[in-house]
Amino acid sequence: LRETKGEKGAYITLSYVWGSPRRIPKTTTANIEERRNGMLVKSLPKTFQDFITITRKLNVPYVWIDALCIIQDDEEDWKREVGQMARIYQ
């Protein structure tokens, strides 16, 4: 997880059906520090792994996955990020 603080860079977004809530890793206020320290790609669901593999093959340095990039239990972060969805997915 990288917080850009206005920094710009190339990324690809993943839009997907969440499915079972227990199977999708999420960023929360309880684990955000852990997320900032990194995540093993192999620990992520296969859809995320495939997405990251394709992104790397395209030489794009970053991915944006809503469950990981929006703090799911922080109403302020959620509102801020949802307000930027048109730009994020542009």
Side-chain angles (χ1 to χ4, degrees), residues 16 24 30 38 48-49 55 57 59 64 67 69 77 85 88-89:
Y16 62 98
I24 301 296
F48 290 16
Q49 291 179 37
T55 300
K57 287 183 179 193
N59 293 316
W64 192 94
C69 295
D77 190 62
M85 287 301 209
I88 289 168
Y89 282 99

Side-chain angles (χ1 to χ4, degrees), residues 8-27:
K8 298 194 190 260
Y11 64 93
I12 298 177
T13 60
L14 174 64
S15 179
Y16 62 98
V17 176
W18 278 47
S20 172
R22 284 180 260 142
R23 300 171 102 174
I24 301 296
K26 299 176 194 133
T27 298

Side-chain angles (χ1 to χ4, degrees), residues 13-84:
T13 60
L14 174 64
S15 179
Y16 62 98
V17 176
W18 278 47
S20 172
R22 284 180 260 142
R23 300 171 102 174
I24 301 296
K26 299 176 194 133
T27 298
T28 64
T29 54
N31 69 12
I32 191 162
E33 287 306 318
E34 179 184 322
R35 296 279 192 249
R36 287 177 177 140
N37 291 325
M39 292 175 269
L40 295 174
V41 173
K42 67 182 179 181
S43 73
L44 298 171
K46 182 85 167 96
T47 301
F48 290 16
Q49 291 179 37
D50 291 347
F51 173 60
I52 291 167
T53 298
I54 291 166
T55 300
R56 287 177 174 168
K57 287 183 179 193
L58 294 170
N59 293 316
V60 177
Y62 302 108
V63 300
W64 192 94
I65 302 172
D66 58 2
L68 301 177
C69 295
I70 299 173
I71 305 169
Q72 297 299 308
D73 61 349
D74 181 327
E75 190 174 332
E76 292 302 314
D77 190 62
W78 195 87
K79 285 179 183 177
R80 182 176 45 254
E81 294 299 320
V82 166
Q84 297 184 64

